[in-house]
């Protein structure tokens, strides 16, 4: 019997043991950006190393990834080492190395989730359903955009009108993996970085920019993610301030049922 081919994301997340707390992987052309891997894919790989670790406790609660240097096409190693394990939380140290040099650092917090009182103050934006919107075409010469089915609500494509400036930097679109894939925490980590830099929209043009540090918070358990099946999720992202070569970028991922699944915050550098 011939086994089904791996989904491109699962191929990108393939890791082989390479010693204590170490795994070996390879960059994926399906998630290639301009000059290196799509940052969301890198975050997903680092999280995946901890998810597969035999000492892992619970599910991800928070993930921070710091992009210290470029990653070239080819092999890399990921270090995922539990720093401290408590009764219901576990703290992780993460590194991605290439040719013996650190390119990416990070940390993660895992937790054992339990049923408690719950309340949500955040409200899902009122938007048209995913099925009512056409699939968005690519707008930049990067391969990773082809790994997603995006359906634009607003601000999904940056315009290039010299001398203009948008009143805000808000982008909203429906999103799922392409081809469709039942989501998990690794996919969620990548989704939270599936927004182009907010300065492209605000300044109506492309400028050199790149994420320095990205923190993602996971608000749903594994069963909730699995229940999404092949449905789209709603992504929303906006900046708060652009100043002295850096800006922030806040993102939210919502289920079609109105549950906040994840939120993230990143700091991005830019050059004029």
């Amino acid at each position: 019997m011939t086994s089904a081919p791996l989904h491109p994301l699962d191929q990108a997340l393939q890791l082989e043991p390479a010693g204590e707390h170490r795994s070996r992987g390879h960059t994926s052309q399906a998630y290639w950006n301009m000059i290196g891997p799509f940052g969301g894919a890198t975050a997903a790989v680092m999280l995946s190393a901890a998810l597969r670790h035999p000492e892992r406790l619970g599910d991800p609660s928070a993930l921070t990834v710091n992009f210290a240097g470029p990653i070239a096409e080819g092999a890399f190693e990921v270090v995922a080492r539990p720093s401290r394990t408590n009764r219901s939380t576990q703290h992780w140290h993460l590194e991605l190395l290439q040719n013996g040099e650190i390119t990416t650092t990070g940390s993660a917090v895992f937790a054992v989730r339990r049923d408690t009182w719950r309340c949500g103050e955040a409200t899902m934006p009122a938007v048209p359903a995913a099925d009512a919107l056409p699939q968005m075409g690519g707008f930049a010469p990067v391969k990773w955009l082809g790994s997603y089915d995006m359906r634009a609500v607003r601000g999904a494509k940056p315009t290039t009108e010299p001398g203009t400036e948008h009143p805000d930097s808000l982008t909203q679109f429906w999103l799922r993996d392409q081809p469709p894939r039942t989501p998990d925490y690794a996919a969620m980590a990548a989704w939270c970085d599936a927004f182009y830099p907010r300065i492209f929209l605000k300044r109506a043009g492309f400028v050199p920019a790149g994420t320095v540090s990205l923190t993602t918070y996971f608000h749903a358990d594994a069963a909730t993610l699995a229940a999404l099946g092949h449905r789209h999720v709603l992504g929303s992202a906006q900046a708060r301030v652009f100043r002295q070569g850096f800006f922030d970028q806040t993102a939210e991922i919502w289920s079609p049922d109105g549950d906040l699944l994840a939120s993230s915050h990143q700091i991005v550098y830019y050059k004029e």
Side-chain angles (χ1 to χ4, degrees), residues 110-193:
F110 281 59
V112 176
R113 297 177 183 270
R114 55 191 178 90
D115 290 332
T116 63
W117 173 85
R118 59 182 292 170
C119 176
E121 293 193 8
T123 303
M124 181 179 177
V127 299
D131 291 344
L133 300 169
Q135 185 172 349
M136 187 178 74
F139 57 83
V142 295
K143 292 185 177 180
W144 71 266
L145 286 172
S147 295
Y148 294 105
D149 175 348
M150 297 178 174
R151 309 208 173 207
V153 176
R154 58 167 292 176
K157 288 187 179 182
T159 58
T160 53
E161 302 171 7
T164 64
E165 185 174 298
H166 282 267
D168 62 49
S169 60
L170 177 62
T171 283
Q172 294 171 336
F173 55 66
W174 290 100
L175 169 75
R176 72 178 178 189
D177 288 297
Q178 180 70 1
R181 176 184 181 276
T182 299
D184 51 23
Y185 288 110
M188 190 73 62
W191 287 352
C192 282
D193 195 37

Side-chain angles (χ1 to χ4, degrees), residues 9 12-15 21-26 37-53 56 60 62-69 71 76-82 92-98 101-110 185-187 189-190 212-214 216 218:
L9 180 59
L13 297 178
Q14 283 190 303
L15 295 170
H21 307 309
R22 286 179 175 263
S23 302
R24 185 178 295 110
H26 196 284
F38 161 50
T42 300
V45 165
M46 296 181 74
L47 181 63
S48 185
L51 283 165
R52 301 178 187 188
H53 197 288
R56 189 253 288 193
L63 170 70
T64 295
V65 177
N66 306 305
F67 300 91
I71 301 174
F76 57 77
E77 284 193 348
V78 179
V79 175
R81 183 175 66 249
W92 288 80
H93 169 83
L94 306 171
E95 292 178 353
L96 191 147
L97 304 91
Q98 198 170 51
E101 294 187 343
I102 293 175
T103 67
T104 318
T105 66
S107 63
V109 178
F110 281 59
Y185 288 110
V212 177
S213 183
L214 165 66
T216 299
F218 303 95

